[in-house]
Amino acid sequence: MAATRAELEAHGYPALSMERVAEIAGVAKSTVYRRWRDPVGLLAELLHDLSMAEVPLPDTGSIELDLHGLALGIYRFYTHPAWRPIMLGLIAAGVHDPRAAQALHDFFQARNDLAAELVRHAIKRGDLPTDTDPVEVIRTLGAPFYYRMLVTHEPIDETVAEQAAAAAVAAAKAGTCSTR
Amino acid sequence: MAATRAELEAHGYPALSMERVAEIAGVAKSTVYRRWRDPVGLLAELLHDLSMAEVPLPDTGSIELDLHGLALGIYRFYTHPAWRPIMLGLIAAGVHDPRAAQALHDFFQARNDLAAELVRHAIKRGDLPTDTDPVEVIRTLGAPFYYRMLVTHEPIDETVAEQAAAAAVAAAKAGTCSTR
């Protein structure tokens, strides 16, 4: 996994080579092929390892503070010089490569479901409408970062994190994140 | 521009060839090179032509209805079999290619500023706080579509458009889209 991460940082997802990963890790090519089959296998495990490790979940008892903390975690993740190109490279690959798309889908499904725990707590406390879809609140929180990084190529900063959190709270409180 | 569009639909942005565009358009290669210089030049003009053409701006007198109409326009644009791969291909290219990124930046800056006119009208009517950043409301509206298409690989549908519009209105009314 460390070798995979080093290769992704250096050359991006499209150029990820099983041979180079084996070489850097100092193991036989056949070992890498047997355990991970192909670059998407490496990627899926890396994303899986990553799913909880890099963005700790706050639990302050306030949905405003919890979502703000989560938003700052996303912001910091994407200002990290290694993770930003890895994740954006994977997202770019996902447009043309269905297996990269599937890995992203599975990663974000797991990650967003975990993060949604904050929202479930807030619903239980009576701070959000009972018919709130917890994952939809997390999507609303995350979307502005990707929009700026991928679509409009505008910078992200702590103010973006603050606005993303406040907008997600406002939408959830207004009932626009309700289950369908 | 029609030849460029045909090439993009068939082969995507990374493979866009000046020679093929000249061939399809039935003009000399030198003409294409002189006027547009390179694929990014073709792309920039195509995006410029597109900026108003494909998503008409509603003007109903209600910010809820206007944003819902705009969101349905975005949804329809991205369910169009030609535009979706063109735009997503350009966005994927923008991750690695600074000139594609610049073309996207300029396109969305122009497009979002035009769409923000709806929000300026609503502020004038007193329907939104006076310190609302009109473009931030438009970003909030658009972000969920790209998040689903590019990041989580979840489907977009009319309910997504409805939720995106309602969330943007709720955020704007709560004052979370204020100028910094």
Side-chain angles (χ1 to χ4, degrees), chain A residues 105-118:
Chain A
H105 175 84
D106 295 348
F107 170 73
F108 280 96
Q109 193 158 66
R111 188 70 192 79
N112 285 355
D113 185 59
L114 284 166
E117 200 60 18
L118 309 180

Side-chain angles (χ1 to χ4, degrees), chain B residues 7-55:
Chain B
E7 268 299 281
L8 283 169
E9 285 173 27
H11 305 294
Y13 170 70
L16 184 62
S17 145
M18 302 290 278
E19 285 78 4
R20 283 281 302 153
V21 167
E23 198 183 312
I24 294 170
V27 298
K29 274 195 291 186
S30 58
T31 307
V32 178
Y33 278 105
R34 194 166 53 239
R35 178 144 173 202
W36 291 283
R37 211 180 105 194
D38 64 12
V40 174
L42 287 168
L43 171 62
E45 182 162 335
L46 191 73
L47 281 183
H48 182 79
D49 290 356
L50 175 62
S51 56
M52 278 308 292
E54 299 285 325
V55 183

Side-chain angles (χ1 to χ4, degrees), chain A:
Chain A
M1 285 303 105
T4 301
R5 189 171 154 173
E7 267 299 281
L8 284 169
E9 285 174 27
H11 305 296
Y13 170 71
L16 184 62
S17 144
M18 303 290 277
E19 285 78 4
R20 283 280 303 153
V21 167
E23 199 182 312
I24 293 170
V27 299
K29 274 195 292 185
S30 57
T31 307
V32 179
Y33 278 106
R34 195 167 53 240
R35 177 145 175 202
W36 290 283
R37 212 179 104 197
D38 63 12
V40 174
L42 287 168
L43 171 61
E45 183 163 334
L46 191 74
L47 281 183
H48 181 78
D49 289 355
L50 176 60
S51 55
M52 278 308 292
E54 299 286 326
V55 184
L57 289 181
D59 184 14
T60 63
S62 148
I63 186 62
E64 283 84 358
L65 290 177
D66 281 359
L67 288 180
H68 189 202
L70 187 62
L72 284 173
I74 298 173
Y75 159 67
R76 286 189 201 114
F77 181 82
Y78 282 106
T79 47
H80 189 288
W83 286 119
R84 184 180 171 122
I86 290 177
M87 284 301 289
L88 298 191
L90 295 176
I91 289 168
V95 169
H96 300 293
D97 177 340
R99 303 192 66 208
Q102 187 67 50
L104 285 164
H105 175 84
D106 295 348
F107 170 73
F108 280 96
Q109 193 158 66
R111 188 70 192 79
N112 285 355
D113 185 59
L114 284 166
E117 200 60 18
L118 309 180
V119 183
R120 290 184 199 104
H121 290 160
I123 296 167
K124 271 184 207 139
R125 287 193 307 266
D127 294 344
L128 295 177
T130 52
D131 67 345
T132 303
D133 175 356
V135 172
E136 182 61 17
V137 181
I138 300 301
R139 288 189 196 102
T140 305
L141 179 82
F145 294 96
Y146 299 95
Y147 184 69
R148 284 173 169 268
M149 291 188 293
L150 294 160
V151 179
T152 62
H153 291 270
E154 293 172 300
I156 60 170
D157 57 25
E158 296 197 2
T159 306
V160 170
E162 203 177 304
Q163 286 193 322
V169 171
K173 289 200 167 173
T176 76
C177 299
S178 58
T179 49
R180 295 167 174 218

Side-chain angles (χ1 to χ4, degrees), chain B residues 34-97:
Chain B
R34 194 166 53 239
R35 178 144 173 202
W36 291 283
R37 211 180 105 194
D38 64 12
V40 174
L42 287 168
L43 171 62
E45 182 162 335
L46 191 73
L47 281 183
H48 182 79
D49 290 356
L50 175 62
S51 56
M52 278 308 292
E54 299 285 325
V55 183
L57 289 182
D59 184 13
T60 63
S62 148
I63 187 62
E64 283 84 358
L65 291 176
D66 281 359
L67 288 181
H68 189 201
L70 186 62
L72 284 173
I74 298 172
Y75 160 67
R76 286 190 200 111
F77 181 82
Y78 282 106
T79 46
H80 190 288
W83 287 119
R84 184 180 172 120
I86 289 176
M87 284 299 289
L88 297 192
L90 295 177
I91 290 167
V95 169
H96 300 293
D97 177 340

